[in-house]
Amino acid sequence: MSRTRSTSRTALLAALGLITATGATATVLGTATAGAAAPGCKVTYQVTNQWSTGFGTNVTVTNTGDPVSAWTLEWTYAGNQQVTQGWNATITQSGAAVTAKNVSYNGTLATGGSTSFGFNGSYSGTNAVPATFKLNGVVCNGATEPTEPPTTPPTTPPTTPPPAGTKADNPYAGAKVYVNPEWSAKAAAEPGGTRISGQPTGVWLDRIAAINGSATSMGLRAHLDEALKQKGSGELVVQLVVYNLPGRDCAALASNGELGPTEIGRYKTEYIDPIAAILGDPKYAGLRIVTTVEIDSLPNLVTNVSGRPTATPNCDVMKANGNYITGVGYALKKLGSIGNVYNYVDAGHHGWLGWDDNFGASAELFKQAATAEGSTVSNVHGFIVNTANYSALKENNFKIEDSVNGVSVRQSKWVDWNRYTDELSYAQAMRTKLVSLGFDSNLGMLIDTSRNGWGGTQRPTGPGALTSVDTYVNGGKYDRRIHLGNWCNQSGAGLGERPTAAPAAGIDAYVWMKPPGESDGASKEIPNNEGKGFDRMCDPTYTGNARNGNSMSGALPDAPISGQWFSAQFQELMKNAYPAL
């Protein structure tokens, strides 16, 4: 939202020029003369690397005037420089004149606010830094000293990575984690959202187009470039969700993908290969890149195929053609060959795989995928549980060993013979099982706590009544879903534990892999070009199916398609956060 205010300001700031010794950098200041809503700016233009025919540049724009809701930056080159590729701005060029305009997520600049964009360019001869910039038509007047890029530039683009460091046992230890500016801006725009808008969240590569991005969304390179800026001199983790298998999410509809069941070739060449090429760029070798590999895929081949009560024909197809196994194995091998990439494979959640007949079979399937397509278990740094789900981290008011009047907690309607009551106990047990199957003894687990807090006024403060095993469990459980099988935009859910490194034995981190406020699926059918169908589990009027015990869906109304911003859900999550905000 933009607003204007009157001003009587007439001051004119003195211009400032600054040249650094590390490369070609110019900083210029300026404001308009008297008038309402006076613009003003500081621009830092830095040539970050240069070779015989090209260069890379980062530009930072700081608004020193009144707030603006959109910006246009203009400059003119003195030589024959040509912009060839840009990110985080829409850049056009006519002759020597260049215009950069904001994209959808970085147009608003408060007084003192700044944003950055970058580009690659070509040149011959000299590559002087532009002397003058205009912000929204007003000159940022500044006398900059003449400057040249490094005097001994390489003759070819840099291709040699920095010396490889020792791969961290836990990539999150001692590291910051990337804050996605697109999500952060949406969160900050919500009432009360600034309380969490600085939290790190996952970047979802859920279709081929997400790799390159668009004029209104950041692509993978743009995120990694932004991560380099956030990194500073320390370590930084970037969290990516690799999520585009052929026949994706065979037991659901809201999260179906763009690739058909047999399109494994496209998955490899149009999706995984381009991601690997970008992640392998030596420019990003100093980042710790965590990949969450294909959520909601492999367990379906155990739980939702013929012979099981929740069988789905689409899952039979994917089990028969083997493309889930092939795709995951290929992704692990390709991404795992990059020295600073840490692969974490999705391992469902306790409310899906915690039963005896699911647990061991799923672990064995994970190993089968990890050793497919020439991959080995060494390409798996760990596993992640509860991705984009709602299972409570810890249920403190009852234990799986408890009984009431001689009846085991496992016999309650809620637990229903599951062997685990929460995600922490499940994650630790799954880790032990996987190590026993040959995975690394230092295997680390991640738990997505973005939406499993279940706080607010309805959070129980102690165990339920001892009248029966059901009153005992239902009265004490934090997870207030109607059924463990409910997964779409759950009413009453709250933000969980904030992202934390090494919070418990065997756990590398609690993470917010699913960005809070992004919808799980539409509550009614909405045509779209992302291959996402309408799943009745996202319909609040739906009375359920075998997978959720024929219970009501518990979904919030008026939800958009999966991945789109859902303000009502975001507000619900903040209201019910535990720990409270």
Side-chain angles (χ1 to χ4, degrees), residues 199-264:
Q199 292 289 354
T201 55
V203 174
W204 286 57
L205 302 174
D206 61 353
R207 57 195 183 280
I208 293 168
I211 300 171
N212 290 328
S214 68
T216 58
S217 63
M218 296 172 69
L220 178 54
R221 279 196 180 275
H223 281 294
L224 296 177
D225 289 336
E226 173 65 22
L228 289 175
K229 288 183 282 186
Q230 292 184 20
K231 180 179 183 295
S233 60
E235 299 290 348
L236 184 132
V237 172
V238 180
Q239 303 174 124
L240 306 177
V241 179
V242 177
Y243 182 49
N244 200 28
L245 276 176
R248 191 177 74 189
D249 292 5
C250 58
L253 293 174
S255 47
N256 285 165
E258 64 187 349
L259 299 179
T262 63
E263 292 188 284
I264 188 66

Side-chain angles (χ1 to χ4, degrees), residues 5 33 73 80 97 105 113 126 191 193 238 261 294 311 342 388 402 496 510 517 523:
R5 61 182 175 88
T33 54
L73 188 72
N80 62 357
Y105 50 81
T126 60
V238 180
E294 295 297 355
Y342 300 76
D402 291 349
Y510 297 153
S523 50

Side-chain angles (χ1 to χ4, degrees), residues 82-124:
Q82 291 289 318
V83 174
T84 57
Q85 179 190 33
W87 49 90
N88 289 353
T90 301
I91 305 175
T92 57
Q93 184 168 356
S94 177
V98 182
T99 301
K101 295 184 177 182
N102 67 273
V103 288
S104 64
Y105 50 81
N106 64 0
T108 300
L109 290 178
T111 302
S114 62
T115 190
S116 296
F117 63 93
F119 61 90
N120 293 326
S122 64
Y123 79 103
S124 62

Side-chain angles (χ1 to χ4, degrees), residues 12 120 209 296 423 436 447:
L12 178 66
N120 293 326
D296 293 340
E423 284 307 292
S436 76
I447 302 177

Side-chain angles (χ1 to χ4, degrees), residues 286-306:
L287 299 171
R288 296 178 179 179
I289 300 172
V290 164
T291 60
T292 298
V293 178
E294 295 297 355
I295 65 170
D296 293 340
S297 60
L298 298 174
N300 279 308
L301 305 185
V302 173
T303 64
N304 294 316
V305 292
S306 293

